[in-house]
Amino acid sequence: MLPADKLDQIVQRFDFVEARLAAGAAPAEIAALSREHSELAPVVATIAAWKQARADIAEAEAMLADPEMRALAEEELPGLRARLPAMEQALRVALLPRDAADARPAILEIRPGTGGEEAALFAGDLLRMYQRHAERMGWQFEVLDLTPTDLGGVKEAVVRIVGPGVFARLKYESGVHRVQRVPETESGGRIHTSAATVAVLPEAEEVDIEIPASDIRIDTMRSSGAGGQHVNTTDSAVRITHIPTGIVVTSSEKSQHQNRANAMAVLRARLYDLDRSARDAARAADRKAQVGSGDRSERIRTYNFPQGRMTDHRINLTLYALGQIMDGDLSAVIDALVADDQAAKLAELGA
């Protein structure tokens, strides 16, 4: 447990941030202060609850010396003391070092892996799963780029998701998702295995990643769509190539101006993720397991449709609720991943 003066420093910092926001901080500060406020608020609430529990115990213990209040104190103390260990554990978790990107919006990228058209169909299923999960969570789900296949699958999907704690929750989804099922195109009823890759990147702000104009090449292209009189009539799609890294991003909505903004946002997120990954790899070189590592070459999950089960291989979690999961009910899966990650961090700190 951190010393009382350290807890007081956290509370004082929260009070300072709250006062700055109330006083009308400079526009350049508002985003950072708002993010810090949202990160500190639950920590401060947990500290207050823990302090109140200790005060209640101290008050009840003092009542033991009063003959008239002794019986009441003896009745209340066991319950008060029983609650304290759980509150102390909650405080330990709240005080764990935070990923600086946890409060950011997320850029979600989905692409088919091995498996041909079936992989593309599964990529489309994953896109719908995350969209429904975002709806359940009250998050904003904005498609930045979508390339469909002729059979209704997805060649590539890039989405921006905005809401409280989006990246903190979705970062565990990065990796290879494997599906086992009978494809719609399979007449013999044989079970096929295919895969799709998911990448979840924290959205970067311009102050995080500076991209000189000389480092990028911007091309406009004919935009394609599902039909209509404006299809292929304007050069609205945008492709941006980051010359130093070779990263290429595209956006193909109707507005060229919006496409350029979308593509730059995705490019910043990818460059920011490259920088984070390099730093994380250096820090975690001696760690044997990283639930939230974001290694997108790692097979993290299997969706077995004949058995109606989902297995997350990182934490050996199996749930026979595949229908609900594919309908966006991911809370049980993500909660388990968060708990496992927290337990690993607490073990590292010896808490």
Side-chain angles (χ1 to χ4, degrees), residues 180-263:
Q180 295 172 328
R181 64 184 178 186
V182 178
E184 296 177 10
T185 54
E186 170 59 52
S187 58
R190 292 173 297 179
I191 296 174
H192 287 227
T193 298
S194 58
T197 60
V198 173
V200 182
L201 318 175
E203 185 177 60
E205 299 172 356
E206 291 188 37
V207 294
D208 299 317
I209 297 292
E210 183 179 351
I211 306 176
S214 58
D215 282 358
I216 60 175
R217 184 177 71 248
I218 301 177
D219 301 304
T220 57
M221 306 168 290
R222 291 283 173 113
S223 180
S224 61
Q229 63 181 3
H230 298 295
V231 172
N232 292 333
T233 60
T234 58
D235 293 333
S236 63
V238 170
R239 178 177 62 217
I240 298 180
T241 303
H242 186 249
I243 297 169
T245 62
I247 293 174
V248 178
V249 295
T250 61
S251 183
S252 52
E253 298 303 306
K254 292 182 180 179
S255 163
Q256 185 178 127
H257 176 75
Q258 187 60 49
N259 284 335
R260 186 175 297 221
N262 290 347

Side-chain angles (χ1 to χ4, degrees), residues 238-303:
V238 170
R239 178 177 62 217
I240 298 180
T241 303
H242 186 249
I243 297 169
T245 62
I247 293 174
V248 178
V249 295
T250 61
S251 183
S252 52
E253 298 303 306
K254 292 182 180 179
S255 163
Q256 185 178 127
H257 176 75
Q258 187 60 49
N259 284 335
R260 186 175 297 221
N262 290 347
M264 285 300 295
V266 174
L267 177 59
R268 278 195 297 269
R270 291 192 188 174
L271 293 174
Y272 182 61
D273 184 61
L274 278 178
D275 182 60
R276 276 169 46 85
S277 297
R279 286 185 279 114
D280 289 346
R283 283 198 303 263
D286 58 345
R287 286 184 64 181
K288 294 181 179 179
Q290 295 182 73
V291 170
S293 66
D295 183 354
R296 289 178 286 282
S297 65
E298 175 191 7
R299 187 193 72 189
I300 63 168
R301 198 173 290 161
T302 295
Y303 305 75

Side-chain angles (χ1 to χ4, degrees), residues 38-115:
S38 65
E39 291 172 356
L40 289 176
V43 180
V44 170
T46 305
I47 292 173
W50 174 73
K51 286 184 174 181
Q52 185 60 53
R54 286 168 54 92
D56 291 343
I57 291 173
E59 183 180 353
E61 288 175 341
M63 288 164 55
L64 292 173
D66 186 340
E68 294 183 3
M69 304 298 292
R70 184 180 182 86
L72 179 61
E74 289 176 342
E75 181 181 346
E76 290 183 351
L77 269 172
L80 293 172
R81 288 170 174 162
R83 287 167 41 210
L84 194 60
M87 300 186 79
E88 289 179 345
Q89 181 66 6
L91 183 54
R92 291 188 188 97
V93 170
L95 294 172
L96 282 174
R98 296 290 177 189
D99 184 337
D102 275 355
R104 294 174 182 256
I107 301 294
L108 171 72
E109 301 180 344
I110 303 174
R111 297 178 180 85
T114 56

